[in-house]
Amino acid sequence: MSDKPTRWVGTEVPRVDGLEKVTGAARYTGDLKFPRMLHAVVVRSPHAHARVRDVRLEQAARVPGVRAVACGKDFPFHVGIYLKDQTVFATDRVRYVGDPVAAVAAETPEAAREAAARVEVDYEPLPVILDVADGMAPGATLVHPDLGSYECVPWITPKGGSNVCNHLKVRKGDYEAALRRCAHVVERSFSVPQVQHVPIEGHISVARMDGAGKLEVYTSAQSPFTVRHLLSACFKLPHGDVRVVVPHVGGGFGGKAGINLEPIAAALAMKARGRWVRVLVDRSEEFYAVVVRQGLEATLVTGVDKQGKVLAQKLLYLWNCGGYGGYGVNVVRAAGYTCGGAYEFPNLWGDSIGVYTNRPVGSAYRGFGMQEIHWALEQQMTMVAQEIGMDPVEFRLRNCLGPGKSTVTGQVLDEHSGRIDLCIRKVAEELGWGDGRKEPNRGRGIACAVKAPAMPNDAASSVLLKFCEDGMLEVLISGIDIGQGLKTVAAQFAAEALDLPFDKVRVRGLPDTDLSPYDWQTVASRQTWATGNAVLRAAENCKQQLLGMASRAFDAPASRLRLANGTVLDPETGRSLPFERLVMGYQFDDGHTIGGPVAAAASFIPEGLIFLDPETSQSPKPVAKWTFGAQGVEVRVDPETGQFTVERIVGCYDVGKVVHPSLIRGQTYGGMIQGLGTGVMEELLLDPQTGRPRNASLTDYKIPTTEDIPEKLEAHFVETPQADGPLGARGVGEHTMIPTPAAISDALFDACGIRVTRMPITAEKVRAALQAKKKEQPTP
């Protein structure tokens, strides 16, 4: 690649592979909520890796209607939730195609586009790194030469002078000694590409800074308080001077966790005081200009004894984090401490390593790295079982976790931790596993899954419960309902705890950091568990207030009273008071009043969590909870074309307590289909030389439609109560998509004896594998 600087200005910028330098113009002309709103356009890098020699904004600023222009020289501030490795706009270099270099805000979209076209940027191209192997190679070009100086949380370990943005080591037992005792050793490698979240609603943020310096941001996000915190840190503003509001969110899947477009909107708003500025991405940009799921290269070595017990397990996970790792470094960490999946490995050597490349930015995605590592681990378990002549279900049951067994980090599970063995048995039973049934070109496969919430030890949720004059209960939460049914289950918990009719509860979402109770983030399948616990605690407080007033009104001990269908009842006398007589205070016949408006705030934070040892990752309790599950699939294959059909998916998860049967079935089915999509059709393709996206549209990037849904979807649940779960419940929102691809791959092997180790499993790969298998067979 030439190192000669290139200059991009105005109409000199060609349209290449559907990508223009000028992208992101707002498509709306106004909004009642945002009067006199300015429209923003972001100038994005056409290079995957280049030095930024100069950015000139003078010509852009002269375009009529332009009210703000900004680039890295104006805001050289770092931002990132765990590792602050990204600036608002690129300063010294760009690190992926789409990296923001500058932005303009104007009265009309047309003026904004014209101004952005006049931004002049001088680039000096640098070598492009797209694969982790190239990023790890000795002497590799550094994507972040200043990595050693970046600020990060204590439990993230970037390696300065390299492309390693995080490395978690897991060491348990004596792997080398155990390996020498093994009767059979299997080594395999697996690969997972980057994929896009593809939410229905793309990323969009609107910001304004008033004359007093108060920054207001309306944004499509999963984490309003985290957005506020990161904006405050980035721009050095007091938290009280930053307000973040999240309206209804049209899908997230992890892609709207952390922070995304908000700093750009804030920067432009600071330049155009008093004006609302809207920044959004179009559907094409959604594929590469915001975050994606990270890629993975995995190598596993498994050693077993003659009885099929795993004695030694080695795992190397190399994560393709893309140009920045601010959020993705925690995916690397979570994959490390969960590297053994649902199995007990007494001797383990694990490394989970995040590597910078010049791909789009890797971040949170539903499952948070778990589908990727289970793609490798679950196929490996089946392959080991097959090589030693053992049934894959029996092999899993012989090695799976359970009460009294220890995870890879040394945590000993108790009777409340969940039962993967019961999930395996249920799925096997429903599939008719071991019944001897075998039809040509049809196969069955099974895979397990486990996930813990990947969150800081102090991740908290809080709520506020308050009654209206008519006895209606309002529940204020700040978790985001992105389709998982959080508002419904919050209402259920409140109604259950206060014995209140469900239609007398209203849950208020749409959080506003100025007015709403604090919540860390809507990620990690934690809301039913965390917000649910906070609701129950607040409800108990309200209950005691109601009983206390009724006790004085009845002149009866509070211990004798109980709540019943929106009333306080004295079972001994039969007297009762409806809530509406109490919730604003109780007034006696002579006029004097006791109590007052019934309201309560409460919070929940996990207790007893202990940091991982920095050298071995051993800890008695590194995570708050585990959710286990298993899935089985049935497939039919056309051996001539490689086309295959997933006809049936069966899932079973230990959820602690089924809170809402319809919602949990919907979550399960949705996860199965999303898992099907990533497993058999989704992959973000880049030009191998330039790093430019090849399929940044829904024409070329395929996701499942109704035509792809299997004929049969079945959901089953085990209920082993979680000790600290609300009514025993634990999270399951992400888990249902984790094992699907591995189960499909195993089913294909069962059907026709071929193995696909690189996602997605396409008909082309299946046909190629079938043809290769045919060539290997001896001629009769």
Side-chain angles (χ1 to χ4, degrees), residues 57-81:
L57 305 175
E58 296 81 7
Q59 294 299 318
R62 295 191 182 102
V63 173
V66 169
R67 298 293 176 260
V69 293
C71 66
K73 290 179 288 187
D74 302 308
F75 298 97
F77 309 136
H78 282 80
V79 65
I81 184 170

Side-chain angles (χ1 to χ4, degrees), residues 191 193 375 677-683 756 758-762 765:
S191 183
W375 165 254
T678 53
V680 307
M681 61 183 72
E682 295 186 50
E683 179 177 8
V756 177
R758 176 180 173 80
M759 273 206 277
I761 312 167
T762 61
K765 291 178 184 177

Side-chain angles (χ1 to χ4, degrees), residues 512-528:
D512 178 335
T513 58
D514 271 9
L515 305 171
S516 303
Y518 175 85
D519 196 289
W520 174 63
Q521 293 193 70
T522 303
V523 296
S525 303
R526 61 182 292 276
Q527 281 299 330
T528 293

Side-chain angles (χ1 to χ4, degrees), residues 38 100 105 123 141 255 262 272 333 350 390 567:
L38 300 176
Y123 296 100
T141 299
E262 296 87 358
R333 179 175 180 269
M390 182 176 288
T567 70

